[in-house]
Amino acid sequence: MQRSIFEPEHEQFRDSVRKFMLAEVAPHRDRWREAGIIDRETFLKAGEQGFLCVFADENYGGAGIEDMRFDQIIIEENMRNGDLGFYVHLHSDLVAPYIHELGSDEQKSRFMPGIVSGETILAVAMTEPSTGSDLAGMKSKAVDQGDHWLLNGTKTYISNGILSDLVVVAARTDPDRPHGISLFLVERGMEGFERGRKLEKMGLKSQDTAELFFNDVKIPKANLLGEAGQGFKYLAQMLAQERLIAAICFMGTAQTAFDLTLDYVKERRAFGKPIGAFQNTRFKMAQMRAELDMAQCFVDQCVMQLNDKQLTTEDASAAKLLSSELEGRVVDQCVQFHGGAGYMEEYRISRMYTDARISRIYGGTSEIMLEIIGRGLGLDDRKMN
């Protein structure tokens, strides 16, 4: 289905992003997967082309364009022609907005130029070994020591955990309030800040995921992000965008899997004819096409609502839920159509299958998304009893 949200300038931008991904990212996929990490230089090259934080103010090196469609294009082209392990969306669209929205002028002047150029790679650390989506159960804590904060705790499953130079860390600062959390900017090289092992994952092999340890880390008062004790509120404010970004990623990979498979079923022959000529193949491909178009329309509409600052948590959760579940069904069916080849690591569709399994977990599980949507309908057991 022809998408209607993009203007000519967006399509021109897409061409330049596609060329970048094909030239600077795609050739390194296999090497990065073997190494378990991408090259830092890729962020620098993306920064040189203006593909990091397009929303950032011009005096920080950005384009000053707050239009999620440009970010959407970068994500889609990375999913299709780049590498899923190149977490440009985490850097630009999930973490940088915390600094852009909450940071003081001093913090933005200090960090944003490096973030936009790709010199300063970002991560966010919320998840802990004993907690998942339950941020109220967070055990990491920061104690006010007068001229600094003293941070202690452990975080796990942190994307960009090895590469990151600046980490937005959530920690408890008010032990008497379940939501008494604050956000801190922790810099590479701070004493007591250590990286654990690079975690081995089922998929997303080229994306570095790690444990982070904070042992009596002295955080300058100037590195408190926003107001003390307001971290839970800040995290909640950013969740709609985070889940929409995830949905954009999932739709990009699902569409890519479909395109790869459409080409395959046209060329692969069985019993004297292309397997795409069999009714079962034709019907299932048609079903996927219809579902992809329907879901893409919804995600595109969410992008426009975000631009208008009208995107609700419920709609973003619905986008994340539907796109992740659809991605899972599509890549599974696409592996099936590839037959034995789909089970071989050398085929991209095989790698996409394992990469996609995390989609229904991170950023909030499908069950959490359903809970949020259900509560938005007024079906909240906390209020109905």
Side-chain angles (χ1 to χ4, degrees), residues 146 263 314 333:
D263 290 340
E314 291 80 10
Q333 183 61 70

Side-chain angles (χ1 to χ4, degrees), residues 146-312:
D147 61 344
H148 67 274
W149 295 86
L150 196 64
L151 174 64
N152 282 278
T154 301
K155 302 291 183 178
T156 193
Y157 308 145
I158 306 304
S159 300
N160 285 359
I162 302 297
L163 283 175
S164 56
D165 304 290
L166 184 67
V167 185
V168 175
V169 179
R172 183 169 302 285
T173 51
D174 187 345
D176 297 325
R177 289 196 302 126
H179 295 164
I181 293 168
S182 301
L183 302 182
F184 299 92
L185 297 170
V186 180
E187 304 173 56
R188 177 185 290 276
M190 283 185 168
E191 186 176 353
F193 173 30
E194 299 176 1
R195 320 210 180 212
R197 60 193 176 96
K198 182 168 63 63
L199 302 173
E200 298 298 327
K201 306 186 294 296
M202 175 192 296
L204 294 174
K205 297 291 189 181
S206 59
Q207 197 283 310
D208 64 300
T209 304
E211 299 169 314
L212 303 181
F213 302 102
F214 308 95
N215 302 306
D216 288 336
V217 182
K218 292 182 178 180
I219 308 295
K221 285 297 183 74
N223 281 35
L224 172 69
L225 187 60
E227 297 180 19
Q230 299 301 307
F232 193 88
K233 180 182 74 173
Y234 297 147
L235 293 171
Q237 289 173 353
M238 296 294 184
L239 277 179
Q241 178 163 325
E242 176 183 344
R243 286 166 180 163
L244 176 58
I245 295 302
I248 293 171
C249 292
F250 307 153
M251 291 306 302
T253 54
Q255 182 62 56
T256 301
F258 178 88
D259 292 341
L260 290 172
T261 305
L262 183 59
D263 290 340
Y264 186 83
V265 299
K266 288 178 178 179
E267 298 172 1
R268 177 75 167 89
R269 300 180 70 84
F271 304 104
K273 59 182 178 181
I275 62 175
F278 292 102
Q279 186 184 70
N280 179 68
T281 306
R282 186 165 64 249
F283 279 12
K284 288 187 180 297
M285 292 297 292
Q287 181 73 30
M288 288 191 290
R289 177 71 275 154
E291 291 186 23
L292 284 166
D293 285 342
M294 181 174 61
Q296 188 65 70
C297 287
F298 182 70
V299 171
D300 285 351
Q301 181 62 23
C302 286
V303 168
M304 300 306 289
Q305 287 187 339
L306 182 70
N307 277 352
D308 293 336
K309 302 187 185 306
Q310 295 180 350
L311 180 64
T312 66

Side-chain angles (χ1 to χ4, degrees), residues 18-32:
R18 181 183 298 117
K19 291 176 182 177
F20 173 83
M21 294 298 175
L22 289 170
E24 302 293 347
V25 179
H28 307 293
R29 284 179 191 149
D30 292 342
R31 178 171 60 81
W32 288 347

